[in-house]
Amino acid sequence: MPEGTLCNKQPINTDEQLKLVLNDKGGKQYYAEMEQLDVDTEKLWNTIQKTMKSRLKTWLEICAHCGLCSESCFLYQVNGRKPEQVPSYKIQSTLGEIVKKKGQVSNEFMRHCMDVAWSWCTCCNRCGQFCPHGIDMGVMFSYLRGLLYSQGFVPWELKIGSGMHRVYRAQMDVTTEDWVETCEWMAEENEEEWPGLEIPVDKEGADIMYTCNAREPKHYPEDLAEAAILFHVAGENWTVPSEGWEQTSLSMFAGDWECCKDNVENVYAAIERLKPKRAIGTECGHAHRATVIEGPYWVGREDGQPPVPFMHYVEWLLEALETGKIKIDPAKRIKEPVTLQDSCNYVRNQGLKNVTRKIIEYIVEPGYFREMAPNKEYNYCCGGGGGFNGIGKYRPQRNVALLKKLQQIQDTGAKLVIAPCHNCWDAIRDLEEEYEIGIRWSFLKPLVINMMIVPDHLKPEE
Amino acid sequence: MSKKILLATTGSPASFGAARVAFQMAKRYGSEIIVFHVIGLPTKAYSQIVHDVRTGDEVQVDDDYKSWVEDELRNTYARQIEEAEGGVSFVLTTGVPHREILRTARSEDVDLIIMGASSGSIDHIDYKGYTGSTLQKVAKAAKCPVMTVHRESAAYRGGFNHVLFCTDFSKQANHAFKYALNTARECDCDMTMFHALDVGGKVLAQNEIEDRLIEARKRMRSLYGSQMGDFKNYDVEAWEGIPYMEIVKLARERMADLIVMAHHAGESDSDEARLGSTLEQVILRASCPVVSVNKPDKV
Ligand code: SF4
Ligand code: SF4
Ligand code: SF4
């Protein structure tokens, strides 16, 4: 069978197809069909010739097999330091083989590549810092994922994930209506406690356009309310767009390059329509990477920048603290051992390491902050990055991957982990669920709300 | 009386009492019931897998699974559904329980939320039942009154005969008063207005206590008495003690079958709140349903 009804080379573009794939329990039929899927070897080789840039080619060729990258990879460490988990081996034995064989590979081999690409590497880019040649497996695996996606060899959840982006323009089935409704709901629910609180939709020319992660309106609308409260207290002139509010990109994890571009265009179109002075994205690492760090290149912006300055939430928060727009009550600062999860996506990939630490100085009583080791740009992936968290098929492997973070957290002795990245937050929560080590985890927004000084004129009467 | 009731159920025996009250109210007053159930919390990022709140198993929620759960609930309440006059519908979803309860209450514009409250210590990730903090969050944000039935024995035995309204004189207590009065009127029953003078941890001279109690009775008479209109079946009480204990004691003494009180946001930090607040202590100990009111909208 060349193409299955659920598993095939076509992206999901319609609601019907999405529902069809979704209703396949755990992807049973999907993975069964995948075993029969033909590899279009000619197309595969053509794609490689057209898309594989000289950097990747060089990397494949110059790897000295010195193994200096092995210890850098947390998956190598937690999987018994098996040679198969050495970063260079992982890529040479997959992408390297496909290139060597000029695309002439079997279905079985492609399925093996899928396992490696999505469960042996989280694209955390850590190894790239240790290779003397600067070879970055994260980048190469992202490329491999794209090849696999185009041939239909992609985990079920990620096929659905990028399908959701294509159909709903959000990683979840949150429609424009649902989104606008949620904004109204959250403003309404909090207006009594925060008189004058608004979540303005589609206001033109505001100072800030705020974008978020679809998980927020879907399951945690408090997060949106909390952003609103902080902007309100800081006195910001802000807005959210009715369309183009979702800045995550599961398509980036899926390797759906075309959809990645569409996601970013959607956000940028909102910027162009509403003309804000700048944009701020929520506490999500990969959303930031997709919209701000890689996004400009996907849509071909020559300056490599979004249409207006686009900050990650931690940058805005620090600015608000430094300018005194938000003031912290020192009596309410965190007075227990607390640690910080550095997100690969905005720390390693954008260097925002000092920003979060300066925020910590404001909100944690001196002496209580405990660094993980290693930290900052050398921090390890949370264990669930690159889509790993969401893939049912690789759940056991993901649970093993969490062990590194578990160790790091336990070594700090902290019971509270600040995780200003949605996916890290999820991984740390799952970690607690799986191993019950007695920790709590939090985004920055609720912590700051609980400890800020609210000016009298913003308090409710009575 | 409440025209549209949201029955938030975990489907477990812990919520049978709540279901019984809801269905009896529906039968008596012809209310419409929405049986609401959160199947599980999607813990796995964007994956389709959730932990079923009843079984704890990892399941994939799709239309098949939902209709299977709905059938289970229909069987659980089969007899009651048959007798319900105003219609019964089902809403099944996944998500964080308090959020989804509030979401549905808002979109369906319900007049009353009825839920069980498990005394289970904390809500862990599996959401085994609706615990203290779920209740706190619902009670805090709901626009309509929230009725809680902690145990089967607290379930309504057919009609309300005596409403106990407890006040701390807050703004929210005014809304609660309106709800209590409307209920007492519509059910043609007695009502006791009560203030418990909190002496927990304080040392007050006996005559000071007496003075404050007299003051509280006066305050209730003038504040609420003026709103009674032609409603006559009420009396006023004020006792000193630890509020929740006094409320429960008085409810037992008067054989109250409904306690109405305010829930105010300030009462406790909703995330920290477990079973510490007056409201929750009353819920856990009362032998009748407890209604909490926080907003004026649906009283
Ligand atoms: S990118 Fe991260 S997970 Fe992948 S091989 Fe390198 S260190 Fe390992
Ligand atoms: S460190 Fe670099 S050169 Fe050495 S094996 Fe790893 S990828 Fe190859
Ligand atoms: S989820 Fe966070 S830690 Fe994990 S890979 Fe992504 S950014 Fe890194």
Side-chain angles (χ1 to χ4, degrees):
Chain A
M1 183 181 60
E3 299 264 312
T5 32
L6 306 183
C7 183
N8 49 45
K9 297 182 181 61
Q10 276 72 54
I12 294 175
N13 276 320
T14 65
D15 202 26
E16 296 77 51
Q17 184 67 12
L18 186 60
K19 295 250 159 68
L20 207 64
V21 183
L22 253 175
N23 269 326
D24 170 30
K25 267 203 195 336
K28 228 171 150 205
Q29 185 190 337
Y30 178 88
Y31 287 121
E33 286 178 8
M34 189 183 283
E35 289 179 22
Q36 310 295 324
L37 193 62
D38 274 344
V39 184
D40 186 342
T41 51
E42 199 175 322
K43 183 178 161 218
L44 184 58
W45 182 235
N46 273 337
T47 313
I48 291 175
Q49 284 174 308
K50 262 190 260 145
T51 58
M52 194 156 148
K53 306 259 162 65
S54 55
R55 180 174 69 161
L56 295 194
K57 270 190 229 151
T58 315
W59 279 352
L60 275 182
E61 282 160 18
I62 63 170
C63 172
H65 306 286
C66 62
L68 284 175
C69 53
S70 25
E71 271 302 315
S72 68
C73 177
F74 77 111
L75 287 168
Y76 170 79
Q77 293 186 27
V78 295
N79 284 295
R81 299 188 156 77
K82 284 200 289 272
E84 296 82 17
Q85 284 278 3
V86 172
S88 58
Y89 180 84
K90 287 189 266 201
I91 202 71
Q92 293 290 351
S93 63
T94 51
L95 179 62
E97 281 300 294
I98 298 176
V99 174
K100 216 183 285 167
K101 296 198 167 125
K102 297 192 169 21
Q104 295 295 322
V105 291
S106 68
N107 168 296
E108 209 189 342
F109 185 77
M110 290 293 270
R111 280 184 288 124
H112 166 70
C113 289
M114 177 180 88
D115 291 343
V116 178
W118 276 281
S119 75
W120 297 21
C121 177
T122 62
C123 302
C124 76
N125 307 91
R126 190 171 189 275
C127 50
Q129 295 171 302
F130 294 86
C131 168
H133 297 294
I135 298 174
D136 189 332
M137 248 44 76
V139 173
M140 297 177 92
F141 269 112
S142 293
Y143 178 73
L144 174 62
R145 286 180 179 195
L147 294 179
L148 293 166
Y149 176 87
S150 69
Q151 294 280 330
F153 294 90
V154 56
W156 178 69
E157 284 90 349
L158 287 175
K159 178 92 175 194
I160 294 169
S162 80
M164 292 250 185
H165 279 291
R166 285 167 173 270
V167 177
Y168 299 111
R169 298 199 128 162
Q171 59 157 306
M172 291 171 140
D173 54 349
V174 183
T175 61
T176 303
E177 241 180 19
D178 296 337
W179 160 248
V180 174
E181 169 78 21
T182 306
C183 294
E184 280 169 25
W185 176 27
M186 282 301 112
E188 211 179 279
E189 197 176 285
N190 291 283
E191 71 195 350
E192 207 174 328
E193 223 175 312
W194 301 96
L197 183 79
E198 274 184 301
I199 303 185
V201 180
D202 282 343
K203 182 157 93 182
E204 277 181 39
D207 294 338
I208 292 170
M209 182 184 100
Y210 181 66
T211 54
C212 65
N213 174 325
R215 281 170 65 61
E216 293 164 8
K218 181 78 180 181
H219 293 305
Y220 307 98
E222 285 88 348
D223 196 288
L224 174 64
E226 286 159 1
I229 290 167
L230 286 162
F231 286 143
H232 176 66
V233 170
E236 297 284 17
N237 168 15
W238 70 295
T239 188
V240 294
S242 57
E243 310 258 1
W245 53 273
E246 154 72 312
Q247 53 158 148
T248 70
S249 181
L250 290 186
S251 31
M252 174 171 84
F253 293 158
D256 183 354
W257 298 332
E258 190 186 33
C259 181
C260 286
K261 182 164 174 261
D262 185 67
N263 291 339
V264 182
E265 274 170 354
N266 205 24
V267 179
Y268 290 2
I271 294 178
E272 260 131 31
R273 182 163 53 87
L274 299 179
K275 303 183 179 56
K277 296 205 178 59
R278 54 184 182 161
I280 316 278
T282 187
E283 291 178 71
C284 179
H286 99 264
H288 187 71
R289 175 166 168 188
T291 318
V292 184
I293 307 171
E294 302 201 6
Y297 299 101
W298 295 341
V299 299
R301 291 185 64 91
E302 280 182 5
D303 58 358
Q305 298 295 325
V308 293
F310 204 133
M311 300 164 108
H312 186 273
Y313 202 77
V314 295
E315 295 177 273
W316 175 80
L317 184 58
L318 179 63
E319 178 194 281
L321 291 167
E322 283 183 335
T323 53
K325 284 181 183 170
I326 290 179
K327 291 197 183 69
I328 300 292
D329 177 353
K332 293 190 179 155
R333 303 209 286 190
I334 298 170
K335 292 185 197 60
E336 62 169 322
V338 55
T339 188
L340 169 74
Q341 163 63 6
D342 283 303
S343 153
C344 315
N345 283 323
Y346 65 84
V347 174
R348 187 153 34 249
N349 282 311
Q350 206 201 352
L352 297 182
K353 59 185 177 191
N354 293 330
V355 173
T356 44
R357 282 169 179 75
K358 282 188 203 151
I359 294 173
I360 295 279
E361 284 174 20
Y362 282 91
I363 65 172
V364 178
E365 186 81 2
Y368 288 96
F369 177 54
R370 309 265 192 276
E371 287 278 13
M372 285 185 201
N375 54 51
K376 302 179 186 162
E377 66 270 43
Y378 292 110
N379 193 29
Y380 290 109
C381 165
C382 57
F388 211 179
N389 262 350
I391 305 171
K393 185 175 165 56
Y394 302 137
R395 172 89 353 183
Q397 292 90 324
R398 200 289 312 258
N399 289 345
V400 171
L402 295 174
L403 290 170
K404 189 72 214 174
K405 194 53 59 185
L406 179 145
Q407 183 79 56
Q408 277 188 295
I409 293 172
Q410 281 188 323
D411 287 349
T412 66
K415 294 280 176 238
L416 175 64
V417 185
I418 299 177
C421 161
H422 261 273
N423 198 57
C424 304
W425 188 96
D426 277 332
I428 290 164
R429 180 179 60 186
D430 283 8
L431 185 162
E432 175 59 27
E433 180 182 53
E434 202 57 43
Y435 301 105
E436 302 194 20
I437 58 170
I439 51 165
R440 289 168 290 119
W441 53 94
S442 181
F443 290 113
L444 285 163
K445 296 185 195 96
L447 293 174
V448 173
I449 288 180
N450 283 333
M451 61 178 87
M452 69 183 167
I453 299 170
V454 181
D456 284 337
H457 70 280
L458 295 178
K459 286 181 184 157
E461 284 175 38
E462 207 189 20
Chain B
M1 213 59 208
S2 312
K3 295 266 172 312
K4 203 169 184 183
I5 295 172
L6 180 92
L7 167 64
T9 172
T10 55
S12 69
S15 60
F16 285 175
R20 207 158 119 205
V21 176
F23 281 109
Q24 290 192 7
M25 283 182 72
K27 191 172 164 191
R28 209 169 178 97
Y29 308 111
S31 319
E32 178 186 341
I33 287 205
I34 299 167
V35 179
F36 172 89
H37 177 67
V38 171
I39 295 176
L41 178 76
T43 66
K44 315 305 178 199
Y46 42 86
S47 89
Q48 309 304 319
I49 303 165
V50 305
H51 268 164
D52 187 296
V53 289
R54 298 153 317 138
T55 61
D57 293 345
E58 281 201 346
V59 293
Q60 194 211 319
V61 177
D62 54 14
D63 292 346
D64 280 355
Y65 192 78
K66 277 191 186 167
S67 66
W68 178 76
V69 177
E70 183 177 324
D71 285 347
E72 292 257 296
L73 287 171
R74 279 185 189 278
N75 288 336
T76 309
Y77 306 125
R79 197 179 39 79
Q80 289 154 304
I81 291 174
E82 213 168 278
E83 291 176 358
E85 307 261 311
V88 179
S89 57
F90 285 78
V91 173
L92 287 95
T93 186
T94 56
V96 184
H98 79 273
R99 222 355 103 200
E100 298 312 316
I101 292 170
L102 290 166
R103 193 193 300 271
T104 306
R106 182 175 192 267
S107 64
E108 298 282 342
D109 197 19
V110 304
D111 305 303
L112 180 70
I113 296 170
I114 302 186
M115 58 195 279
S118 111
S119 52
S121 51
I122 50 164
D123 40 359
H124 190 47
I125 317 139
D126 311 77
Y127 292 78
K128 293 255 159 48
Y130 294 145
T131 58
S133 87
T134 298
L135 169 65
Q136 278 283 356
K137 289 172 182 157
V138 172
K140 178 182 168 188
K143 286 198 138 189
C144 64
V146 178
M147 179 185 283
T148 321
V149 187
H150 173 47
R151 43 195 145 137
E152 184 83 43
S153 62
Y156 180 68
R157 284 159 291 251
F160 295 120
N161 292 305
H162 196 119
V163 176
L164 173 60
F165 160 63
C166 313
T167 180
D168 56 2
F169 301 109
S170 62
K171 185 177 78 189
Q172 288 83 356
N174 286 343
H175 312 324
F177 167 75
K178 292 209 178 79
Y179 181 80
L181 176 62
N182 289 343
T183 306
R185 268 214 178 105
E186 279 174 48
C187 302
D188 192 19
C189 63
D190 298 333
M191 172 169 163
T192 299
M193 296 194 283
F194 180 56
H195 174 73
L197 177 66
D198 189 354
V199 293
K202 280 173 238 161
V203 188
L204 290 177
Q206 191 55 34
N207 55 356
E208 198 181 337
I209 292 178
E210 300 290 334
D211 288 351
R212 290 214 200 169
L213 290 177
I214 293 170
E215 169 64 29
R217 286 191 201 101
K218 255 199 220 150
R219 211 169 152 192
M220 279 188 273
R221 281 206 186 86
S222 73
L223 193 62
Y224 306 122
S226 59
Q227 302 178 49
M228 288 292 183
D230 54 4
F231 185 80
K232 295 277 181 290
N233 311 332
Y234 71 92
D235 65 345
V236 168
E237 273 296 352
W239 294 351
E240 80 277 17
I242 297 168
Y244 73 82
M245 278 191 197
E246 301 310 315
I247 292 170
V248 172
K249 260 197 261 169
L250 181 62
R252 203 175 299 146
E253 194 181 296
R254 297 284 155 100
M255 292 198 288
D257 34 33
L258 186 68
I259 297 173
V260 179
M261 55 196 291
H263 170 84
H264 29 98
E267 193 168 39
S268 51
D269 182 324
S270 66
D271 277 334
E272 296 298 314
R274 293 302 178 217
L275 298 170
S277 71
T278 302
L279 171 65
E280 290 192 82
Q281 290 300 329
V282 170
I283 286 167
L284 291 186
R285 285 153 213 266
S287 51
C288 66
V290 178
V291 170
S292 77
V293 182
N294 193 24
K295 304 241 160 80
D297 306 67
K298 291 268 179 180
V299 295

